[in-house]
Amino acid sequence: MITLSNIAIQFGKRVLYQDVNMKFTNGNIYGVIGANGAGKSTLLRAISGELEPTKGHVEMGPGERLSVLSQDHFKYDDQTVLDTVLQGHTVMWDIMQERTALYSKEDFTDEDGIRVAELEDKFAQMGGYEAENNAAALLSGLGIKEDLHYKLMSELQGKQKVRVMLAQALFGEPDNLLLDEPTNDLDLETVEWLEDYLGNFEHTVLVVSHDRHFLDQVCTHTVDIDFGKVTLFSGNYSFWYQSSQLALRQAQNQRQKAEEKRKELEEFIRRFSANVAKSRQTTSRKKMLEKLNVEEIKPSTRRYPGIIFQMERETGNQILEVHDLKATAEDGQVLFDKVDFQVEKDEKVVFISHDPRAMTALFEIINGNQEPQAGTYKWGVTITTAYLPLDNTAFFKSDLNMLDWLMQYGEGNEVYFKAFLGRMLFKDEEILKKVNVLSGGEKMRCMIARMQLKNANCLILDTPTNHLDMESIQAFNNNLKLFRGNILFASHDHEFINTVANRVIELTPNGTIDKLMTYEDYIHDERIREIREKMYAGTEFA
């Protein structure tokens, strides 16, 4: 249990929030949401003790242990992977170190023997004798294979380190757990493993994430940070988003009677609760909407960008044909081979692979930026494309301001281009900012504005939600569901994939798995799981 009493956080003259009084109780998972810069990570830092609040204090239950997902991926470089995880339980680790030191003494005394007996008793009560097995199981669940468990952290790749740090945070089932962007750099299968793990976690969790599906799957409550206030709601992200949009529409309709509004809100809660009851919930406590009330539903002050893709011309029947395509990485590893598919009209195709480099290679090839090792591809004569690459660095090596930068990619006057930047929430003097100093999120919004200028009928998107805040992801997602042309994309965002794609093509070193179905159906189809095992046989992903 975590209790916040009269918390205020201020940096100079800027007040993030004040008068924060709330209690996070055992058995619940709280999703912390808010616009970029609202103070989500800052709230977690204040709870962990890393940051001293300007005012107020944080308390936990007597004797409770707090665990935090570390963002320092170099701190444990001189430690083995397994020891790094074990250090997540600091009390147990200290006991282990003291035991080892005592047993190593040449002049072992009677007093040492008494102390060792005390330590052994504490160690046993903490489950210390199963600690290494439990740590290894966590690592394996997160995709860190056993042959890596005794390597030094410095020998691991960056994405592997992220998984080890997550295992460290989860180790020993802490009473209170703080997770800041835990799904970053996890593949979709590992995210699902984490969802199941947290679904059975019986303690208190606060999590910051831009992954809407993840928040929906694990969270019982939503903590919304908006314009200087921290507000606690029952329900997951989807409930918060849909209810806030409904409340906003009601607020805009001033003539609607109070009783009609209440009935509409109550009907919304009833329908949403029914849908949640049917969804995959691992424990009964996840039926979190039973205590919802109409008074909790308020309009949000969030601003959503206007992401609107329009087509200049309709597509013909021939979209894209790919035959016997092959690509390898710089290290010679085969990313995919024997790739054959034909995209049909109205299809929105998600490409997936155990190796994310495979999708980037495919998109670079079909956009003419990279030569395949083998095979051919051919676009239909009616097709115009707009491409959002994974790496946009080259586009922003310029001293141009945002307005002049965008004007390179189309024809029209300044007012025309300002409108596109305005849709992406750039206003007034912001559009005169040099593009080489933009943040990752600002660059992505510029790239999306550039895409909109093209009025293409086929969108190619390589991990489009990278660097975007929740509002931009939601707006992007909503528009792609309505887009009438073709979409070829890759993403780590489960909700984005499941609500946009109607076809799944998996790229493997031994060909493709190609299914006309939703992503949710694809990943839970046992026959496809068997096919995947065969397709990856003999590779490092087997």
Side-chain angles (χ1 to χ4, degrees), residues 10 85 94 104 110 200-202 214 243 250 280 300 339 352 357 366 372 418 420-421 426 435 457 486 493 500-501:
Q10 181 174 346
V85 176
D94 289 344
S104 301
D110 290 341
N200 292 291
F201 192 77
E202 294 297 332
F214 176 74
S243 62
Q250 287 189 339
R280 179 172 62 90
S300 170
V339 171
I352 64 173
R357 295 177 299 174
I366 64 176
K418 284 180 179 178
F420 281 92
L421 291 171
F426 296 115
V435 295
N457 53 26
N486 289 92
D493 188 311
V500 173

Side-chain angles (χ1 to χ4, degrees), residues 495-525:
E495 182 73 9
F496 201 91
I497 296 173
N498 204 50
T499 55
V500 173
N502 54 23
R503 181 180 177 186
V504 181
I505 297 180
E506 183 158 1
L507 307 171
T508 84
N510 298 304
T512 58
I513 308 169
D514 188 347
K515 298 295 179 181
L516 200 63
M517 59 172 57
T518 67
Y519 177 70
E520 193 76 34
D521 289 339
Y522 184 88
I523 60 175
H524 292 116
D525 191 309

Side-chain angles (χ1 to χ4, degrees), residues 428-447:
D428 303 330
E429 300 81 18
E430 278 187 300
I431 65 173
L432 300 179
K433 187 190 293 188
K434 303 274 190 186
V435 295
N436 55 14
V437 300
L438 297 179
S439 68
E442 289 172 328
K443 287 177 181 177
M444 281 295 288
R445 284 187 281 143
C446 282
M447 292 295 289

Side-chain angles (χ1 to χ4, degrees), residues 14-28:
R14 186 185 175 211
V15 178
L16 282 183
Y17 27 75
Q18 53 190 347
D19 300 324
V20 180
N21 293 282
M22 57 185 57
K23 186 177 290 186
F24 305 113
T25 56
N26 194 45
N28 290 312

Side-chain angles (χ1 to χ4, degrees), residues 148-165:
L148 296 176
H149 292 187
Y150 294 95
K151 287 186 177 293
L152 291 177
M153 286 288 285
S154 58
E155 299 178 65
L156 269 58
Q157 299 174 358
K159 291 185 178 182
Q160 292 173 323
K161 286 185 176 182
V162 169
R163 295 168 186 238
V164 176
M165 300 316 297

